[in-house]
Amino acid sequence: DIQMTQSPSSLSASVGDRVTITCQASQDIKYLNWYQQKRRKAPKLLIYDASNLEAGVPSRFSGSGSGTEFTLTISSLQPEDIATYYCQQYGDLPQVAFGGGTNIEIK
Amino acid sequence: QVQLQESGPGLVKPSQTLSVSCSVSGGSIRRGGYYWGWIRQQPGKALEWIGCIHHSGRTYYNPSLKSRLIISVDTSKNEFSLRLSSVTAADTAVYYCARIRGLYSIWFEHWGQGTLVTVSS
């Protein structure tokens, strides 16, 4: 099984800061997606296939990476970005796995 | 815009079977190459993929749950369901249904609001 490790598990940053979250896979993966989950809400798709912005998602969100290391970047953190962020890898079904999550707070 | 809505029992006793359904509106469950999936989240924990189904009935299951899991689809009702048998407290979670873009595009693009199922005597 492929294990997905996110870092950090939590972070506190100021409004306007550039924030980067990393997702590391235990072996090379092809595809990685990112989700935002606000408190007591369902997750929302932000980025698919590493770097493609889902329709309607603000352009301050971006994704990059390949192989075993991927990143989600928020170029200028906004108060509404307070949430937990999850990465999710996939290959041929049933190979699907989520990372452990990164909780972002505002300083 | 497609919408998904879960419905579940709220409380299930240990060793019994948990059943949750997902009603799809705003589009036919038979349309296109979409898959329809289940994800759960234990209290305070990360997301866990459960499995998914195509309207044809083709299913894929998380290997860790496969022995206890059945996912089915009812195209006449435009809904799909999961049944998880022999439940324990570890199966207490919010259960989400979601639409998956496709067999080779496995991202969860639309989600239901989730339904909490508690396993307790």
Side-chain angles (χ1 to χ4, degrees), chain A residues 2-7 21-32 34 50 64-72 87-89 95 99:
Chain A
I2 297 176
Q3 307 300 317
M4 307 301 296
T5 303
Q6 285 184 237
S7 59
I21 299 168
T22 298
C23 184
Q24 191 157 29
S26 57
Q27 59 186 271
D28 274 4
I29 61 172
K30 287 186 178 180
Y31 307 112
L32 188 102
W34 290 97
S64 64
S66 63
T68 62
E69 192 150 321
F70 297 79
T71 60
L72 172 70
C87 62
Q88 173 242 321
Q89 72 85 19
Q95 183 188 318

Side-chain angles (χ1 to χ4, degrees), chain B residues 49-108:
Chain B
W49 179 70
I50 297 172
C52 62
I53 190 165
H54 186 257
H55 67 77
S56 63
R58 180 76 181 267
T59 55
Y60 295 91
Y61 296 153
N62 183 327
S64 69
L65 297 170
K66 187 175 181 178
S67 63
R68 301 191 290 130
L69 181 63
I70 296 175
I71 296 176
S72 59
V73 63
D74 187 335
T75 56
S76 67
K77 293 182 178 179
N78 222 38
E79 68 179 35
F80 60 107
S81 304
L82 78 83
R83 287 171 56 87
L84 186 65
S85 62
S86 304
V87 297
T88 70
D91 295 308
T92 293
V94 175
Y95 285 78
Y96 294 102
C97 59
R99 191 178 82 174
I100 299 168
R101 182 68 64 86
L103 179 60
Y104 302 108
S105 306
I106 304 166
W107 52 86
F108 304 94

Side-chain angles (χ1 to χ4, degrees), chain A residues 1 31 33 35 37 40-45 48-49 54 86 88 90-101, chain B residues 35 39 41 45-49 52 60-63 96 101-114:
Chain A
D1 290 359
Y31 307 112
N33 310 315
Y35 300 85
Q37 185 179 32
R40 300 190 185 279
K41 297 290 187 183
K44 171 188 173 184
L45 177 67
Y48 61 93
D49 282 354
E54 174 71 343
Y86 291 96
Q88 173 242 321
Y90 72 93
D92 293 331
L93 284 170
Q95 183 188 318
V96 177
F98 289 92
Chain B
Y35 275 68
I39 304 98
Q41 187 170 35
K45 298 292 182 65
L47 302 166
E48 179 183 23
W49 179 70
C52 62
Y60 295 91
Y61 296 153
N62 183 327
Y96 294 102
R101 182 68 64 86
L103 179 60
Y104 302 108
S105 306
I106 304 166
W107 52 86
F108 304 94
E109 55 181 5
H110 294 289
W111 296 67
Q113 65 186 24

